[in-house]
Amino acid sequence: MRLLLTTSQGIEDLAKKEVERLFESKEIKVSVEEKPFGVEGRLIAEVEESFYTDEKGKKREFNPATFLNENSRLLHRVIVEIASLKFKGIESQEPEKALKEIYNFVYSLPIENYVKITESFAVRPFRKGEHEFTSVDIAKTVGSAIYDRLSRYGKPKVNLDHPSVIFRAELIDDTFFLGIDTTGDSSLHKRSWRVYDHPAHLKASIANAMIELAELDGGSVIDPMCGSGTILIELALKGYEGRIIGIEKYKKHLRGARMNALAAGVLGKIEFIQGDATKLTQYVDSVDFAISNLPYGLKIGKKSLIPKLYMDFFSQLSKVLEKRGVFLTTEKRAIEEAFAENGFRILHHRLVGHGGLRVHLYIIQ
Ligand code: SAM
């Protein structure tokens, strides 16, 4: 089975490792390709067919898509791939011609192998890049091609609100992917524990990428500006045994973080402190790891205050941090100045896609 997997841009390598690790734990062979056709935020996994024996002793086929939906912490969607193709030049084509090409391609595919005529279906589109048409046009075109193809077998059923089968049609620049979306309408990064919605919350997939990159060893971990607690909650959910501490300046967000931790069933594993990260030494003498999505001053707060906030915070951090720090910000200059001024060395830097922005991720020592 070929699966098209989606995640945040810039963490494909970590998602690949997670997928390999998950299938390895089940002794199932998998080969994972990062960024198929050069498309960021996407992976293709080729998973070998395998079987297991259920509690009644019956031989059953192992479903890799369900397995990933239930166990991945880095993926957004798990799509059973029907076909992928590069439509060279589609970006500059007349809309009618481009959409006709998509229609013909989808119509030529064995759609009937993926949906029964008695099942209702809908197409969810995704489009990124410069095109002369919209994602709604893609949904309509792909929907008609599927409908027409299935009409050979009876009267197809369309249900846009509650379909039995969701087709996902993605056009990213000139690459087209079509598959069955096994994740459903809510992306996996939207965690069910999120009962408090912080205005600048971090995607849980990126939180997990930061946790992976920190290479934790069981030592204490702090998020000094923890907002609604995403990083700490995801860490606790992984069963982390070390001390987990969260500091947040505002009561409202801290209360929200506690509510989220309670909903996740990990409130007892995290020490939440209402406090100011620029006075870090008042709360902790020493901490092994710091992982944080810092304020950027975009959604909340003033941008002009960021350089001083970072300078004061990293000055305090330099007095307590024993091992590594992983930080995320849009404010490259301010953070790099604060690192340099306070004796931190950058071990790794990468760009990650978050909420339509390219965010800088740093590992420091
Ligand atoms: N990762 C968090 C989440 O998923 O909800 C969001 C963090 S948000 C980008 C940054 C947080 O830092 C905000 O909640 C803000 O209130 C907090 N903050 C700003 N200045 C602070 C300070 N001096 N000390 C502690 N927290 C601060």
Side-chain angles (χ1 to χ4, degrees), residues 3 5 22 27 33 53 55 84 91 96 102 164 181-182 185 199 223 225 227 241 315-316 329-330 339 347 355:
L3 299 174
L5 310 172
L22 284 169
E27 293 175 11
E33 182 194 351
T53 310
E55 53 289 356
S84 307
E91 290 133 306
E96 291 77 26
I102 293 176
S164 305
D181 192 338
T182 65
D185 280 327
D223 180 347
M225 304 195 211
E241 301 271 341
S315 158
Q316 286 275 296
T329 183
T330 51
F339 289 158
L347 300 179

Side-chain angles (χ1 to χ4, degrees), residues 198 200-202 225-228 230 248-250 253 275-277 293:
H198 186 288
H201 76 243
L202 185 64
M225 304 195 211
C226 73
S228 59
T230 311
E248 167 58 46
K249 191 169 172 181
Y250 298 101
H253 297 324
D276 183 345
N293 168 35

Side-chain angles (χ1 to χ4, degrees), residues 35-180:
K35 304 184 198 168
F37 300 105
V39 178
E40 289 188 297
R42 300 289 179 276
L43 302 105
I44 298 260
E46 182 106 44
V47 192
E48 72 166 2
E49 194 180 41
S50 71
F51 298 88
Y52 69 99
T53 310
D54 72 8
E55 53 289 356
K56 289 181 188 150
K58 254 193 165 177
K59 189 178 166 190
R60 299 215 175 260
E61 194 173 344
F62 180 83
N63 187 328
T66 307
F67 176 63
L68 286 182
N69 278 309
E70 286 173 356
N71 293 286
S72 169
R73 309 207 68 83
L74 288 161
L75 297 176
H76 293 177
R77 295 188 171 279
V78 181
I79 300 159
V80 175
E81 189 200 47
I82 299 176
S84 307
L85 187 74
K86 221 170 171 58
F87 281 103
K88 285 222 172 77
I90 198 162
E91 290 133 306
S92 53
Q93 253 174 17
E94 289 282 305
E96 291 77 26
K97 194 161 178 265
L99 292 167
K100 184 77 191 154
E101 269 195 40
I102 293 176
Y103 175 94
N104 288 341
F105 177 61
V106 174
Y107 186 78
S108 74
L109 299 170
I111 300 295
E112 57 282 4
N113 294 349
Y114 298 88
V115 54
K116 291 191 191 106
I117 195 72
T118 49
E119 287 173 321
S120 62
F121 78 89
V123 177
R124 305 287 188 236
F126 177 81
R127 190 192 64 80
K128 198 164 163 253
E130 299 285 319
H131 306 102
E132 299 284 313
F133 47 86
T134 65
S135 58
V136 176
D137 295 327
I138 295 176
K140 279 187 192 158
T141 303
V142 173
S144 327
I146 293 172
Y147 190 97
D148 294 348
R149 170 95 195 188
L150 290 177
S151 294
R152 299 173 180 183
Y153 306 90
K155 187 158 170 53
K157 284 188 199 158
V158 176
N159 186 336
L160 297 183
D161 298 325
H162 304 289
S164 305
V165 177
I166 299 175
F167 286 89
R168 184 146 169 112
E170 300 199 330
L171 185 66
I172 303 172
D173 300 323
D174 61 359
T175 306
F176 179 75
F177 298 103
L178 182 72
I180 304 291

Side-chain angles (χ1 to χ4, degrees), residues 311-338:
M311 198 56 82
D312 294 348
F313 161 63
F314 282 103
S315 158
Q316 286 275 296
L317 187 69
S318 68
K319 298 186 173 75
V320 298
L321 188 68
E322 301 288 343
K323 292 178 181 163
R324 277 178 298 282
V326 180
F327 294 97
L328 205 65
T329 183
T330 51
E331 301 310 294
K332 185 176 189 318
R333 186 194 283 188
I335 201 167
E336 289 187 2
E337 278 176 12

